[in-house]
Amino acid sequence: MDLRYALSEIRKNGSNVHWWRQRLLTNVVSKYFKTYREADSPPIHECDWDTLIILDACRYDLFEECYPEFDLSGTLSKRTSLESGTPGFLRENFGDEDFHDVVYVTGNAYVSTLLSSNQFHDVIPAWKDNWDDDVQTVTPEAMGEVAKRVAEEYPDKRLIFHFVQPHEPFIGEKRVGIREQSAIRQQALGKEAPAHAKRKPTAFEQLDRGKLTKQAVWDAYRSNLERALPVVSDLLTEIDGKTVVTADHGNSFGEFAKPFPIRVYGHPLGIYIPSLTEVPYFEYQNGERRDITAERPKSRVSEDMEVANERLRMLGYAE
């Protein structure tokens, strides 16, 4: 690190406890976990499924609390995610390997920016083609429609449906932490957007700063999952074969990064604590298993990286 830059940042942010926490999590805590933590789960592609539904940022305890209300008949167990954020999840589970028997439908633009489309038989960018400008995300209902269409188009492929929910923005019945629409609109139009320091904080940043209560954020988080689960339930009975519902990582509501006395909010990378790595693994089988065949990747025009990055900024992943 450039010493002059480091000193400049300390002078500018030295009295900001939230800034220090993020620096410690990134430069100390995550390095500790990467050094001493031993992964006890196989990559998700090695698990037994025909269809994989990924609920972005869904904690195990949240899913366990909600799923009985939505008639999801199946077997729930707990899985330890290999990472605490989507970029790490993609890297650890897929890396640079090829999965030409898989079609990946994603509402999360990271899949298109961090993985090569040629790794899979096909990648369907719902984050680009099914974006809802009113709520600044891909709704679960839109994802469900794309999922059904893709399941009909590719009956002999393993399918991955990567939902955005319950990750922010919270678009369920209860909503908190919504970003200014003007800023999002400026980004969507490719115009200059407010600098990081001027943007409205996310719900988890507001929780960290005492501007929102833990209960208010949890209720909105739960409401976001509740909006997605009816779509998930529908897909379980619509798509043949064995379906697994899981998550890439969880969310932290101020739990300590043990053994460090540092509280964690949201889902920073490399922080392997239960609130971030304990995720659901829900198994359901509908009829006979599908016969899966690997084929050469479909030829697709490369995705517009700038559009992908705009979508990520809107979702709060990047600034």
Side-chain angles (χ1 to χ4, degrees), residues 224-235:
N224 228 26
L225 179 60
E226 289 174 336
R227 179 165 176 177
L229 285 180
V231 178
V232 171
S233 179
D234 187 38
L235 292 177

Side-chain angles (χ1 to χ4, degrees), residues 58-76:
C58 185
R59 292 167 57 127
Y60 173 82
D61 55 0
L62 176 69
F63 188 89
E64 182 183 39
E65 183 179 303
C66 290
Y67 90 93
E69 301 175 13
F70 292 89
D71 195 29
L72 299 178
S73 58
T75 303
L76 175 63

Side-chain angles (χ1 to χ4, degrees), residues 37 39-47 49 52 54 79-99 102 104 115 119-120 158 160 162 246-249 272 277 279 281:
R37 182 236 199 177
D40 58 1
S41 294
I44 195 68
H45 68 79
E46 293 183 3
C47 297
W49 49 267
L52 182 70
I54 299 174
R79 173 179 167 83
T80 301
S81 178
L82 297 179
E83 248 291 357
S84 56
T86 304
F89 169 84
L90 296 174
R91 179 183 64 247
E92 294 298 325
N93 285 280
F94 300 106
D96 58 359
E97 296 182 56
D98 291 333
F99 307 96
V102 173
Y104 203 132
L115 299 178
Q119 289 180 247
F120 304 94
R158 299 179 92 192
I160 300 178
H162 194 144
T246 189
D248 47 357
H249 56 84
Y272 305 139
T277 60
V279 297
Y281 192 84

Side-chain angles (χ1 to χ4, degrees), residues 4-256:
R4 184 176 299 177
Y5 172 77
L7 291 173
S8 172
E9 288 295 293
I10 291 173
R11 282 195 296 270
K12 183 167 58 177
N13 302 289
S15 62
N16 185 334
V17 65
H18 311 290
W19 182 85
W20 277 111
R21 181 188 292 127
Q22 292 307 312
R23 301 288 79 71
L24 287 170
L25 287 172
T26 300
N27 297 313
V28 178
V29 179
S30 66
K31 291 182 179 179
Y32 166 84
F33 281 120
K34 289 182 182 298
T35 300
Y36 295 105
R37 182 236 199 177
E38 294 184 6
D40 58 1
S41 294
I44 195 68
H45 68 79
E46 293 183 3
C47 297
D48 183 29
W49 49 267
D50 300 319
T51 300
L52 182 70
I53 297 176
I54 299 174
L55 298 170
D56 206 299
C58 185
R59 292 167 57 127
Y60 173 82
D61 55 0
L62 176 69
F63 188 89
E64 182 183 39
E65 183 179 303
C66 290
Y67 90 93
E69 301 175 13
F70 292 89
D71 195 29
L72 299 178
S73 58
T75 303
L76 175 63
S77 59
K78 186 183 297 182
R79 173 179 167 83
T80 301
S81 178
L82 297 179
E83 248 291 357
S84 56
T86 304
F89 169 84
L90 296 174
R91 179 183 64 247
E92 294 298 325
N93 285 280
F94 300 106
D96 58 359
E97 296 182 56
D98 291 333
F99 307 96
H100 294 166
D101 61 345
V102 173
V103 174
Y104 203 132
V105 181
T106 179
N108 187 318
Y110 265 134
V111 176
S112 299
T113 59
L114 298 180
L115 299 178
S116 168
S117 60
N118 289 331
Q119 289 180 247
F120 304 94
H121 176 65
D122 202 0
V123 176
I124 313 297
W127 61 266
K128 183 177 181 182
D129 301 331
N130 301 89
W131 189 259
D132 188 321
D133 288 318
D134 291 335
V135 292
Q136 297 299 320
T137 190
V138 181
T139 68
E141 294 81 13
M143 275 292 294
E145 290 304 312
V146 177
K148 291 179 183 179
R149 174 177 59 79
V150 170
E152 291 183 1
E153 184 177 353
Y154 297 101
D156 61 346
K157 297 291 179 287
R158 299 179 92 192
L159 305 172
I160 300 178
F161 303 132
H162 194 144
F163 284 68
V164 176
Q165 294 73 34
H167 192 286
E168 288 187 274
F170 297 135
I171 61 171
E173 183 177 333
K174 298 180 180 180
R175 305 185 181 190
V176 298
I178 301 297
R179 297 188 177 207
E180 286 106 346
Q181 294 299 309
S182 59
I184 293 173
R185 183 171 176 76
Q186 290 295 95
Q187 290 175 341
L189 294 172
K191 299 179 180 179
E192 185 177 358
H196 176 83
K198 295 182 179 180
R199 68 162 175 78
K200 185 176 179 181
T202 67
F204 288 95
E205 290 170 336
Q206 292 184 64
L207 173 61
D208 180 8
R209 298 168 189 176
K211 303 297 184 181
L212 287 172
T213 66
K214 180 178 178 180
Q215 190 63 54
V217 180
W218 181 269
D219 288 346
Y221 180 46
R222 175 181 173 133
S223 185
N224 228 26
L225 179 60
E226 289 174 336
R227 179 165 176 177
L229 285 180
V231 178
V232 171
S233 179
D234 187 38
L235 292 177
L236 291 177
T237 57
E238 285 283 331
I239 299 176
D240 291 337
K242 181 177 181 180
T243 297
V244 166
V245 183
T246 189
D248 47 357
H249 56 84
N251 255 323
S252 197
F253 284 73
E255 291 89 346
F256 285 108

Side-chain angles (χ1 to χ4, degrees), residues 292-308:
I292 305 299
T293 303
E295 295 181 277
R296 293 177 56 188
K298 279 202 166 184
S299 177
R300 281 186 173 270
V301 177
S302 297
E303 303 299 344
D304 186 334
M305 294 289 284
E306 182 56 32
V307 173

